[in-house]
Amino acid sequence: MFDGQFLTIADYEQHVRQQMSPALFDCEYGSHGDPAWSTYTSNRAGFHALKLRPRVLVDVSRRSLATEVLGQSISLPVVVGPTGGLGVHDPQGELPTVRAAGAAGTIMVLSGLSTCPAADVAGAATCPWLQQVWILEDRELVAWQVRNAEELGAAAIVLTVSNTGETWHSAQLRFPTTGAPDDGPASNLVELAHRAPTVRQFMGSISRASTWADVRWLRELTSLPLVIKGIQTSEDAELCVEHGVDGIVVSNHGGRFLQGARGTIEALPEITATVGERLEVYLDGGVRQGQDVLKALALGARAVWLGRAARWGTTVAGEQGVRNVLEILQRELDGSMGLCGITDVRHVPASLVTRDVVPTVEN
Amino acid sequence: MFDGQFLTIADYEQHVRQQMSPALFDCEYGSHGDPAWSTYTSNRAGFHALKLRPRVLVDVSRRSLATEVLGQSISLPVVVGPTGGLGVHDPQGELPTVRAAGAAGTIMVLSGLSTCPAADVAGAATCPWLQQVWILEDRELVAWQVRNAEELGAAAIVLTVSNTGETWHSAQLRFPTTGAPDDGPASNLVELAHRAPTVRQFMGSISRASTWADVRWLRELTSLPLVIKGIQTSEDAELCVEHGVDGIVVSNHGGRFLQGARGTIEALPEITATVGERLEVYLDGGVRQGQDVLKALALGARAVWLGRAARWGTTVAGEQGVRNVLEILQRELDGSMGLCGITDVRHVPASLVTRDVVPTVEN
Amino acid sequence: MFDGQFLTIADYEQHVRQQMSPALFDCEYGSHGDPAWSTYTSNRAGFHALKLRPRVLVDVSRRSLATEVLGQSISLPVVVGPTGGLGVHDPQGELPTVRAAGAAGTIMVLSGLSTCPAADVAGAATCPWLQQVWILEDRELVAWQVRNAEELGAAAIVLTVSNTGETWHSAQLRFPTTGAPDDGPASNLVELAHRAPTVRQFMGSISRASTWADVRWLRELTSLPLVIKGIQTSEDAELCVEHGVDGIVVSNHGGRFLQGARGTIEALPEITATVGERLEVYLDGGVRQGQDVLKALALGARAVWLGRAARWGTTVAGEQGVRNVLEILQRELDGSMGLCGITDVRHVPASLVTRDVVPTVEN
Amino acid sequence: MFDGQFLTIADYEQHVRQQMSPALFDCEYGSHGDPAWSTYTSNRAGFHALKLRPRVLVDVSRRSLATEVLGQSISLPVVVGPTGGLGVHDPQGELPTVRAAGAAGTIMVLSGLSTCPAADVAGAATCPWLQQVWILEDRELVAWQVRNAEELGAAAIVLTVSNTGETWHSAQLRFPTTGAPDDGPASNLVELAHRAPTVRQFMGSISRASTWADVRWLRELTSLPLVIKGIQTSEDAELCVEHGVDGIVVSNHGGRFLQGARGTIEALPEITATVGERLEVYLDGGVRQGQDVLKALALGARAVWLGRAARWGTTVAGEQGVRNVLEILQRELDGSMGLCGITDVRHVPASLVTRDVVPTVEN
């Protein structure tokens, strides 16, 4: 089914938009308020405003897309980021995704609210996987998730801080019963099901009182590398360094929560300039093409994380879909490197990119 | 009726546009000339061009939206601004609006050309209310309005200066008989009805000769706090300080009169930079989402005032509509604060906002 | 017919577009190539990018729109500029236009290729009129036009330099036989009809070899004030001063010939900054609203000239149409002055305008 | 057929888009991913953002469009650039194009993968022609092409470096069997057909390992002038000088391969500023109007090269089409020169252009 049909990530988006009910699509991918002026739009526009300065006559016959993330070798600078409850799209939940990540030689980040128990994912994983968590009101639940992940062999803990449990999202309010599994069992947390028996209850228990003290607590709780996902300012990036954090994901949660924020690629430079030498910086939000990856690397990111793109892959064709999404980005990144005279994703010079001097609105 | 249907201010606008006759809508909300290049458009675009820099890992479990306006405590930094003659939309005129403002714990500003007499509004009010006035050719009529308001317990006098009685508005010329109550009685001024028996005559009597001398006169006439609504430059803001004014509303009258003006959020910084320490600065014009409020506060405004948004609420569902409008903005502001690490509307740092580096035109 | 129907210049444009055949409209108002990326578009966009900073609490009860152009008193800073062969739209040719200009208390500039002989226009004129000329290959024909105008009482000579006889215009090539009077008699030049019997031949005889020496020649030929229309750079403005020119029209010929030029309001500042103290500077191109006039004045123009707007007036309703067009601009300018705290068009401060910081694309 | 129908290059594009199957059009002219945010769009937008500052009252009765490219006199600064396999559009392949170039008094650049053998083109040529080559894996094939061209009288060798054999283009993947002659014989290389019997194999053999050492090798291989096509940075332009290159084409391959690159007119200034005094600089990409040529010359280019525009001419009407395309650009360039006071394409001042201060989005 992939011959000539799914050649770009945009093909996946288009297919999902057409197949999924508008209510479910809006609930999963919509944002609050006017989509034309959303943070999601800014994510894409930010990439577009950044232009490439390709170098030529460089031997690009051998290109290395391999890099290291938190000491883990990966075959391309694209990490499959966490997205919740994949069971709504695939009866096997997160298993097809982790298998695809393994097949592509990269890393999967398991959502703290996955459909499958972490143990199942760990069992199926042929690649490093990271456990994403929130600071919940019930810190014990977090501690259990972290320890459970450690025992199951997670390669790192990822703390998401870009959603403090706000529930005023217009799409969610508009379609309260969309078939999204909010009232389904938080099955991966079955051990502690009495504390957060449903997804809705779990999400509602994200602590609005989480602070850097929680980062200190988490830092002491585990010896695994610690990543914070959702940093958008140099000030907070500096605090990450001070708290012994190993990596940052510059992220606005795919533009789904706070509206009016910068595109992540706009926020990236102030962060890499401040802490880029002291911890690893990643980016998610609006990555849809191989050259987006290249632009993020030129601005100092070590890798990008996928949200929607990988999820669309699962929705369209399970494991095969995610593999194809990763192949598309791999092919586009590889090709863009060839056309830019870049041979190693670990050495992408800042001079590769320049700000657009004019907005390019198609006529 | 509000379940799942009116979740954003845009939902109200859409409903009103669909239900109201185009002629009346244009007369109430239109502006002169091309809407695509209007001051109204600039109001919205200005907010969009300003981007948020959210801070994370701040304890946002307790957030205070309360602030003070002219010594009055209000529960959220959103004031229900003055809009004329609400009787055209609700048989009870301004009463539902003032009740809603009270229920929300904020302030209502009574238009100098309300449907209801000020006494009726004062009688229904459970919250502080401000009396808006113009400098009319008949200064006695203004003096009467001010003294009447004082006696009725108004908390302040608001002098509007952004409409000097110009009557060349294309929408108004195009639809002279729209059902708008221009030829109806200026009922709230019944005591002086022989001087300005109809709305049209009242509006026609706005003085084109008003100057800062009138501000001095007004300043001496009343001991109530005095606010000037319609300031758009730092020069005039400085003059406000010099004339003992207590507050400024940065306003272009919702973009309805002068076309080609800046969006108010564009004008705000030069004003707060100049006088922000010496009087209170508010803003109206284009406030449609909670994050707009936050942006205005970050640039030094103490509160925003609502024009269209509140009026749409009245039109759709009277008191319940205005309450819902205020609830939406309260919910969005509260949520945006949570996502930005802001816990108190009185302490929103300037570093929260940054100029957009690229225009984000949706593709 | 003007009640509620023609309230803005845009109403005229819309009417003309709907009534006129596309071929004739394109021939009269089109430009070469893509209209969306044309100089005409830049003329409008330039005005839009400039924003007003209105002052308040100024006594605007008495406003003076009167000014002087070349020593002639006019009642508003809007001159009816030259457009060719109005006979195609009105059997009386230029007479309705000159009557309307007189009624409005302003000046009319008679095209060097009018339908009516200058003598007829002079006879009908109740206002000062200027004679526009080109440098033709046959300098004697120019000399005759100038001397004829002098004898008929013209108030100045206007030399157009923004069309050097180029004939590669796509609209003109595409519709060679549109009913435009190109092959009709150059009736106003009947005395010299053997030299340029048709419009097409006349236009074809515009000299491509005209230089500043021709300006010197013209300067010596007549004692009337001399205006050059079509200046777009400070360098050429300086040369105008050096050659004793009395006025400049910053003009790109309404965007009809050279594509890719700046909007005239963009070119104006470098010109007024260089020569604004030494001669009078006017502007045409894209003036469609009263606030456009105000913006041009703030940037140092003494008056604006109308091209399309006045011609559309003639097309729609002859003299009454031009009068209404001038009334619209008068009303909008007057109203905008009132809303900006400007009382005299001769004293519009530069601080009234500021560059737009963001593009405002309507959503 | 050209009377009134094909008056602009846009007319050709429109005709080709309508007549050609979408699949073939996309394969020939499409780019990877979203067309609205493509490098192709940036090429056009870059020209649009650059505005002309026309000078007036210059004697433009005699204008010289003639210039020299690599010592060859040409009658206008427009070179017919290389595009592959024209046989798909015309049974005579490249012969109509070279005849049209000769008739127009300019130069044709023969694609290294033409339909016709170079010998046939050389036989038909009445103008200088240049041989374009790639660095192929089989360097002998390149050497044969170069020596063959030398023997046939080519005026220069053009090395294309903007396509390093990347084959992940979505249009090409989507329509693998479009009728494009990818699987046809590489007939112009018939002497070495056993090495690259088909177009696809030939293209697949473009070396990804080509470096500046290959430029040295090529430089020594031939005494003909050497041009490198595909330079987009000042750094690589400097390397061209160091390697004895005679000319540079600032090119992004018409935006067909690398997406997210600058428009070529955006890249041009840094290149002419660095090496403009030491070698000849040309530009291709987005040239669609005469004033585009003028803008490129003002920024230091010696000539522009045509890609799509000339190919569309062939497609529509063979030799007559290409001649007409060149005539259109000649007419528009000549006319724009007249309107800008430019009399010689070899002397276009930098002051002719200025950056747009505002985006001009049509309303």
Side-chain angles (χ1 to χ4, degrees), chain A residues 8-44:
Chain A
T8 65
I9 305 302
D11 292 337
Y12 278 90
E13 179 170 17
Q14 190 181 354
H15 185 88
V16 170
R17 277 187 187 274
Q18 287 169 347
Q19 299 296 317
M20 201 179 276
S21 76
L24 183 55
F25 189 89
D26 199 14
C27 195
E28 290 217 350
Y29 302 113
S31 55
H32 189 80
D34 186 340
W37 282 7
S38 67
T39 299
Y40 176 65
T41 302
S42 296
N43 278 346
R44 291 298 305 136

Coordinates of all heavy atoms in Angstrom, one line a residue, chain A residues 8-44:
Chain A
T8 N 5.3 11.2 1.6 CA 5.6 12.3 2.5 C 4.8 12.2 3.8 O 3.8 11.5 3.8 CB 5.4 13.7 1.9 OG1 4.0 13.9 1.7 CG2 6.1 13.8 0.5
I9 N 5.2 12.9 4.8 CA 4.4 12.9 6.1 C 3.1 13.6 5.8 O 2.1 13.2 6.4 CB 5.2 13.6 7.2 CG1 6.6 13.0 7.4 CG2 4.4 13.6 8.5 CD1 6.6 11.5 7.7
A10 N 3.1 14.5 4.9 CA 1.8 15.2 4.5 C 0.8 14.2 4.0 O -0.4 14.3 4.2 CB 2.1 16.3 3.5
D11 N 1.3 13.2 3.3 CA 0.4 12.1 2.8 C -0.3 11.4 4.0 O -1.5 11.1 3.9 CB 1.1 11.1 1.9 CG 1.6 11.6 0.6 OD1 1.1 12.7 0.2 OD2 2.6 11.1 0.1
Y12 N 0.4 11.2 5.0 CA -0.2 10.6 6.2 C -1.2 11.5 6.8 O -2.3 11.1 7.2 CB 0.9 10.2 7.2 CG 1.6 8.9 6.9 CD1 2.7 8.9 6.1 CD2 1.1 7.7 7.4 CE1 3.3 7.7 5.8 CE2 1.7 6.5 7.0 CZ 2.8 6.5 6.2 OH 3.4 5.3 5.9
E13 N -0.8 12.7 7.0 CA -1.8 13.7 7.6 C -3.1 13.7 6.8 O -4.2 13.7 7.4 CB -1.1 15.1 7.7 CG -2.1 16.1 8.3 CD -1.5 17.4 8.7 OE1 -0.4 17.7 8.1 OE2 -2.1 18.2 9.4
Q14 N -2.9 13.8 5.5 CA -4.1 13.9 4.7 C -5.0 12.7 4.8 O -6.2 12.8 5.0 CB -3.7 14.1 3.2 CG -4.8 14.5 2.3 CD -4.3 14.6 0.8 OE1 -3.1 14.5 0.6 NE2 -5.2 14.8 -0.1
H15 N -4.4 11.5 4.8 CA -5.1 10.3 5.0 C -5.9 10.2 6.3 O -7.0 9.9 6.4 CB -4.2 9.1 4.8 CG -4.9 7.8 4.8 ND1 -5.3 7.2 3.7 CD2 -5.2 6.9 5.8 CE1 -5.9 6.0 4.0 NE2 -5.8 5.8 5.3
V16 N -5.2 10.6 7.4 CA -5.8 10.5 8.7 C -6.9 11.5 8.8 O -8.0 11.2 9.3 CB -4.7 10.8 9.8 CG1 -5.4 11.0 11.2 CG2 -3.7 9.6 9.8
R17 N -6.7 12.7 8.3 CA -7.8 13.7 8.3 C -9.0 13.2 7.6 O -10.2 13.5 8.0 CB -7.3 15.0 7.6 CG -6.5 16.0 8.5 CD -6.3 17.3 7.8 NE -5.4 18.1 8.5 CZ -5.8 18.9 9.5 NH1 -7.0 19.0 9.8 NH2 -4.9 19.7 10.2
Q18 N -8.8 12.5 6.5 CA -9.9 12.1 5.7 C -10.7 10.9 6.4 O -11.9 10.7 6.3 CB -9.5 11.7 4.3 CG -9.2 12.9 3.4 CD -8.5 12.5 2.1 OE1 -8.0 11.4 2.0 NE2 -8.4 13.5 1.2
Q19 N -9.9 10.0 7.0 CA -10.5 8.8 7.5 C -11.1 8.9 8.9 O -12.0 8.3 9.3 CB -9.4 7.7 7.6 CG -8.8 7.3 6.2 CD -9.9 6.8 5.3 OE1 -10.7 5.9 5.7 NE2 -9.9 7.2 4.0
M20 N -10.4 9.8 9.7 CA -10.9 9.9 11.1 C -12.1 10.8 11.2 O -12.2 11.8 10.4 CB -9.7 10.5 11.9 CG -9.8 10.2 13.4 SD -8.3 10.9 14.2 CE -7.1 9.6 14.0
S21 N -12.9 10.6 12.2 CA -14.1 11.5 12.4 C -13.5 12.8 12.8 O -12.5 12.9 13.5 CB -15.0 11.0 13.5 OG -14.4 11.2 14.8
P22 N -14.1 13.9 12.3 CA -13.6 15.3 12.7 C -13.5 15.4 14.2 O -12.6 16.0 14.7 CB -14.6 16.2 12.1 CG -15.2 15.5 10.9 CD -15.2 14.0 11.4
A23 N -14.5 14.9 14.9 CA -14.5 15.0 16.4 C -13.2 14.4 17.0 O -12.5 15.0 17.8 CB -15.7 14.4 17.0
L24 N -12.9 13.1 16.6 CA -11.8 12.5 17.1 C -10.5 13.1 16.7 O -9.6 13.3 17.5 CB -11.8 11.0 16.7 CG -10.6 10.2 17.3 CD1 -10.6 10.2 18.9 CD2 -10.7 8.7 16.9
F25 N -10.5 13.6 15.4 CA -9.3 14.2 14.9 C -9.0 15.5 15.7 O -7.9 15.8 16.2 CB -9.4 14.6 13.4 CG -8.1 15.1 12.9 CD1 -7.1 14.2 12.3 CD2 -7.8 16.5 12.9 CE1 -5.9 14.7 11.8 CE2 -6.6 16.9 12.4 CZ -5.6 16.0 11.8
D26 N -10.1 16.3 15.9 CA -9.9 17.5 16.7 C -9.5 17.2 18.1 O -8.7 17.9 18.7 CB -11.2 18.3 16.7 CG -11.0 19.8 17.0 OD1 -9.9 20.2 17.0 OD2 -12.1 20.4 17.3
C27 N -10.1 16.2 18.7 CA -9.7 15.8 20.1 C -8.3 15.4 20.2 O -7.6 15.7 21.1 CB -10.7 14.7 20.5 SG -10.7 14.5 22.3
E28 N -7.8 14.7 19.2 CA -6.4 14.2 19.2 C -5.4 15.2 18.8 O -4.3 15.3 19.3 CB -6.3 12.9 18.4 CG -7.0 11.7 18.9 CD -6.2 10.4 18.7 OE1 -5.2 10.5 17.9 OE2 -6.5 9.4 19.2
Y29 N -5.8 16.0 17.8 CA -4.8 16.9 17.1 C -5.1 18.4 17.2 O -4.3 19.2 16.8 CB -4.6 16.4 15.7 CG -4.1 15.0 15.6 CD1 -4.9 14.0 15.0 CD2 -2.9 14.6 16.1 CE1 -4.5 12.7 15.0 CE2 -2.4 13.3 16.1 CZ -3.2 12.3 15.5 OH -2.8 11.1 15.5
G30 N -6.4 18.7 17.6 CA -6.8 20.1 17.6 C -6.1 20.8 18.7 O -5.5 20.3 19.6
S31 N -6.3 22.1 18.6 CA -5.9 23.0 19.7 C -7.0 23.9 20.1 O -8.0 24.0 19.4 CB -4.6 23.7 19.3 OG -4.9 24.5 18.1
H32 N -6.8 24.6 21.2 CA -7.8 25.6 21.6 C -7.9 26.8 20.7 O -6.9 27.4 20.4 CB -7.5 26.0 23.1 CG -8.6 26.8 23.7 ND1 -9.7 26.1 24.2 CD2 -8.9 28.1 23.8 CE1 -10.6 27.0 24.7 NE2 -10.1 28.2 24.5
G33 N -9.1 27.1 20.3 CA -9.3 28.4 19.6 C -9.0 28.2 18.1 O -9.2 27.2 17.5
D34 N -8.6 29.3 17.5 CA -8.5 29.5 16.1 C -7.2 28.7 15.5 O -6.1 29.1 15.8 CB -8.4 31.0 15.8 CG -8.4 31.3 14.3 OD1 -8.1 30.4 13.5 OD2 -8.7 32.4 13.9
P35 N -7.4 27.7 14.7 CA -6.3 26.9 14.2 C -5.3 27.7 13.4 O -4.1 27.5 13.3 CB -6.9 25.8 13.4 CG -8.3 26.2 13.1 CD -8.7 27.2 14.2
A36 N -5.8 28.8 12.7 CA -5.0 29.5 11.8 C -3.9 30.3 12.6 O -2.9 30.6 12.0 CB -5.8 30.4 10.9
W37 N -4.2 30.7 13.8 CA -3.3 31.5 14.6 C -2.9 30.7 15.8 O -2.8 31.3 16.9 CB -4.0 32.8 15.0 CG -4.1 33.8 13.9 CD1 -3.7 33.6 12.6 CD2 -4.5 35.2 14.0 NE1 -3.9 34.8 11.9 CE2 -4.4 35.8 12.7 CE3 -5.0 35.9 15.1 CZ2 -4.7 37.1 12.5 CZ3 -5.4 37.3 14.8 CH2 -5.2 37.8 13.5
S38 N -2.6 29.5 15.6 CA -2.3 28.6 16.7 C -0.7 28.4 16.9 O 0.0 28.7 16.0 CB -2.9 27.3 16.5 OG -2.3 26.6 15.5
T39 N -0.4 27.9 18.0 CA 1.0 27.5 18.3 C 1.4 26.5 17.3 O 2.6 26.5 16.8 CB 1.2 27.1 19.7 OG1 0.8 28.1 20.6 CG2 2.6 26.6 20.0
Y40 N 0.6 25.6 16.9 CA 0.8 24.5 16.0 C 1.3 25.2 14.6 O 2.2 24.7 14.0 CB -0.4 23.7 15.8 CG -0.3 22.6 14.7 CD1 0.6 21.6 14.9 CD2 -1.0 22.6 13.6 CE1 0.8 20.6 13.9 CE2 -0.9 21.7 12.6 CZ 0.0 20.6 12.8 OH 0.1 19.7 11.8
T41 N 0.5 26.2 14.2 CA 0.9 26.9 12.9 C 2.2 27.5 13.1 O 3.0 27.5 12.1 CB -0.2 27.9 12.6 OG1 -1.5 27.3 12.5 CG2 0.1 28.6 11.3
S42 N 2.5 28.1 14.2 CA 3.8 28.7 14.4 C 4.9 27.7 14.3 O 6.0 28.0 13.9 CB 3.8 29.4 15.8 OG 2.9 30.5 15.8
N43 N 4.7 26.5 14.8 CA 5.7 25.5 14.7 C 6.1 25.3 13.2 O 7.3 25.2 12.9 CB 5.2 24.1 15.3 CG 5.3 24.1 16.8 OD1 6.0 24.9 17.4 ND2 4.6 23.1 17.4
R44 N 5.2 25.1 12.4 CA 5.5 24.9 11.0 C 6.1 26.2 10.3 O 7.0 26.1 9.6 CB 4.2 24.5 10.2 CG 3.7 23.2 10.5 CD 4.7 22.0 10.2 NE 5.1 22.1 8.8 CZ 6.3 21.9 8.3 NH1 7.3 21.7 9.2 NH2 6.6 22.0 7.1

